[in-house]
Amino acid sequence: MISPKIQDALNAQINAEFWSAYLYLAMGMHFENEGRSGIANWFKIQFKEEQAHAEIFMNYLNSRGGRVELKAIDEVPTTWESPLAAFEATLAHEEKVTALINNIYALAEAEHDYATRGKLDWFVAEQVEEEETAKELIDRLRLIGDNGLALYMLDQELAARTYTVPAPLASKA
Ligand code: MG
């Protein structure tokens, strides 16, 4: 059995992952509307990844005899001034998610819930990657500035991104 405190924290995290999914889906729809189909593709894959994160937590909570409680998902923004603004918002959001994961990690240690702590290790590493990727795209978009051809080339590059099932889910299949 899982402690009520950890169960609540994991349910809050499931909601945060779905909110992230919703945010990136909104970004995907926005850039599709703007004719930036590669950037849209990047965000739509991000949307799938966030759903997978929620699924990993839901599977885990169930495996520990906990109860998954799906709460309402708050509204997300619907427009961004530029691709740079969207990736800056992505980085700011992922930094918040990192803090949430770290808080659950600390709670798991305080509660001597080492199974939950262990489960979070994958997410700790994943957050490093999420922040690094967003930072890299921000740097590139700053270099691109208002160079339309360079932005077109980045859009083409991001069109090639494909979805890979995250390891904790892939190993369940
Ligand atoms: Mg996530």
Side-chain angles (χ1 to χ4, degrees):
M1 264 313 265
I2 201 152
S3 84
K5 265 191 198 171
I6 299 281
Q7 175 170 298
D8 288 350
L10 291 177
N11 274 314
Q13 191 60 33
I14 289 163
N15 186 266
E17 299 292 348
F18 277 124
W19 192 87
S20 303
Y22 214 41
L23 174 69
Y24 298 135
L25 180 60
M27 288 177 174
M29 292 302 107
H30 169 77
F31 288 109
E32 196 141 276
N33 187 258
E34 297 269 299
R36 300 285 180 200
S37 57
I39 293 171
N41 174 63
W42 193 92
F43 280 114
K44 284 189 281 179
I45 287 169
Q46 202 65 14
F47 157 67
K48 284 188 195 167
E49 276 197 4
E50 298 304 338
Q51 283 184 295
H53 293 169
E55 207 178 334
I56 295 163
F57 281 119
M58 291 190 289
N59 289 343
Y60 174 69
L61 194 45
N62 275 329
S63 75
R64 294 284 311 278
R67 273 200 66 84
V68 172
E69 283 163 11
L70 297 176
K71 317 271 190 193
I73 302 166
D74 287 343
E75 208 173 314
V76 291
T78 51
T79 59
W80 290 267
E81 209 173 277
S82 62
L84 177 60
F87 283 103
E88 282 171 343
T90 297
L91 177 60
H93 177 62
E94 288 304 329
E95 284 171 348
K96 277 185 203 158
V97 174
T98 300
L100 293 175
I101 299 280
N102 287 344
N103 287 344
I104 308 175
Y105 201 103
L107 180 67
E109 285 193 329
E111 297 274 301
H112 302 290
D113 185 342
Y114 301 110
T116 296
R117 194 188 68 173
K119 194 72 194 173
L120 288 167
D121 283 335
W122 183 85
F123 284 92
V124 170
E126 174 70 9
Q127 285 310 118
V128 173
E129 225 177 87
E130 299 279 29
E131 289 186 26
E132 191 186 11
T133 308
K135 271 186 201 131
E136 191 204 312
L137 286 164
I138 288 168
D139 287 345
R140 292 178 65 186
L141 283 161
R142 283 188 182 145
L143 277 174
I144 286 170
D146 57 8
N147 184 326
L149 179 60
L151 183 58
Y152 172 77
M153 286 171 74
L154 179 67
D155 191 69
Q156 294 288 99
E157 183 188 323
L158 298 184
R161 185 184 184 192
T162 54
Y163 176 66
T164 312
V165 178
L169 273 190
S171 59
K172 273 225 145 200

